[in-house]
Amino acid sequence: MNNILKKLNDFSELVMFKHSIFSLPFIFIAMVVAANGWFGWRLFFLGILAAVTARNFAMAFNRYLDRDIDSLNPRTENRPNVDGRLSAKSILTFTLLNALGFIIVAAFVNKLALILAVPILLVIGSYSYFKRFSYLAHLILGVSLGLAPIAGVVAVSETITLWSICLSIGVMFWVAGFDLLYSLQDIDVDKKLGLHSVPSVFGAKNTMLFSKIAHSFTVLFWLLFVINSGSGAFAYLAVIVSAVMLSYEHYLVNKDFRKIDKAFFTVNGYLGIIFFILIIIDTIAN
């Protein structure tokens, strides 16, 4: 039993399971807005399973491909895919099982979800390749998590609405923006290994500027989401709070690069939760 629990913990560390908090709120935001309230326990559990299996697939596939890179980076050399705790075969098996699980879950949701399942997996899996030849990898990561709101509205209404696209684009810029800041930690390693991250190509100062621009677009598209969805005052408040929190995130990083972890995990984690809570309140109030 102890060995099983240890392996589960290793796989959890491999995919950084606790970071699922970044994607879960926005799929449920889309589902609440699409249903104009509670969408039912069935879709609730299917939504969790879809988000978790998709993210597990993307993270595990990335770790599988990045074994060589992670072993050369002091920040990542102790990850389970590098230090021998998990074999390449077990990681690949885990990746394929989660891909299959995502497709099966999509089949239980509806026909459009099933049709989109494989294309979604191809998109979220492509991030692992992009950073080897293009600094647009940060945007691809944003696209991967930005698919969550579209998946949410598809699950509820089997359609793709304008407001869900606006919400998704906002998530895309949000993720790309904070990934730019997070990647500042690896600027020297990326240069050494010839990886095409924005910091290694454009430098730290420009990277921080690009992140600010990305987060400005985040606020803009979330505002367009609220307008096009016909949401009320609490939804507008969610956008305002998000803008304040993103500004605080940049304040932390500008003040001290060592605050990147706090900016990345704490601020962004709470942002999604607060946004979700305010959307629920807005739905109840209206």
Side-chain angles (χ1 to χ4, degrees):
M1 178 60 71
N2 287 336
N3 287 336
I4 294 176
L5 291 176
K6 184 178 181 301
K7 282 296 179 183
L8 289 174
N9 184 65
D10 290 340
F11 277 111
S12 176
E13 183 181 340
L14 178 78
V15 300
M16 302 175 79
F17 187 75
K18 60 184 179 181
H19 296 172
S20 298
I21 195 170
F22 294 146
S23 58
L24 281 173
F26 284 93
I27 188 172
F28 288 126
I29 287 170
M31 293 173 81
V32 167
V33 174
N36 194 29
W38 178 236
F39 42 81
W41 287 108
R42 178 178 176 275
L43 285 182
F44 175 74
F45 287 115
L46 288 175
I48 291 177
L49 287 173
V52 169
T53 52
R55 189 182 178 282
N56 283 351
F57 161 78
M59 290 294 296
F61 186 53
N62 183 56
R63 296 289 186 260
Y64 175 77
L65 291 181
D66 279 5
R67 300 188 312 280
D68 56 336
I69 296 173
D70 287 348
S71 65
L72 300 174
N73 186 341
R75 187 177 64 83
T76 59
E77 63 184 1
N78 294 319
R79 284 176 174 173
N81 58 322
V82 176
D83 63 10
R85 280 180 286 164
L86 295 174
S87 67
K89 183 178 179 180
S90 66
I91 296 172
L92 184 59
T93 301
F94 180 79
T95 302
L96 295 175
L97 286 175
N98 276 280
L100 179 60
F102 178 72
I103 294 171
I104 292 173
V105 170
F108 277 97
V109 174
N110 56 49
K111 185 177 180 180
L112 181 57
L114 178 59
I115 291 172
L116 294 175
V118 173
I120 286 175
L121 290 176
L122 291 175
V123 171
I124 63 179
S126 66
Y127 164 75
S128 303
Y129 290 101
F130 262 83
K131 62 187 173 186
R132 297 172 185 263
F133 64 85
S134 172
Y135 54 78
L136 293 177
H138 308 280
L139 196 59
I140 298 302
L141 181 64
V143 170
S144 298
L145 271 74
L147 290 170
I150 290 179
V153 74
V154 165
V156 172
S157 60
E158 206 166 351
T159 59
I160 299 176
T161 59
L162 177 60
W163 62 258
S164 68
I165 294 174
C166 293
L167 180 60
S168 291
I169 294 174
V171 172
M172 177 189 73
F173 281 117
W174 171 51
V175 173
F178 69 62
D179 188 57
L180 285 170
L181 296 179
Y182 191 70
S183 64
L184 288 169
Q185 299 175 101
D186 296 329
I187 184 170
D188 294 329
V189 174
D190 289 348
K191 287 180 178 179
K192 182 180 178 180
L193 299 180
L195 296 176
H196 298 272
S197 67
V198 166
S200 69
V201 176
F202 297 99
K205 186 176 180 180
N206 285 326
T207 298
M208 295 174 74
L209 174 61
F210 295 153
S211 178
K212 288 184 177 72
I213 293 171
H215 283 158
S216 297
F217 279 114
T218 296
V219 175
L220 172 62
F221 277 97
W222 282 348
L223 178 60
L224 291 173
F225 148 67
V226 173
I227 294 170
N228 283 286
S229 63
S231 299
F234 286 100
Y236 283 98
L237 179 60
V239 177
I240 294 171
V241 171
S242 297
V244 172
M245 294 183 74
L246 290 173
S247 297
Y248 178 61
E249 177 178 351
H250 286 276
Y251 166 77
L252 288 175
V253 177
N254 284 330
K255 187 177 180 181
D256 187 350
F257 270 22
R258 289 172 296 180
K259 300 288 187 181
I260 287 177
D261 273 355
K262 181 179 180 181
F264 182 80
F265 301 122
T266 307
V267 176
N268 288 299
Y270 279 117
L271 186 155
I273 294 172
I274 293 172
F275 203 118
F276 179 43
I277 291 171
L278 288 171
I279 290 296
I280 291 176
I281 295 172
D282 187 74
T283 303
I284 294 171
N286 291 328

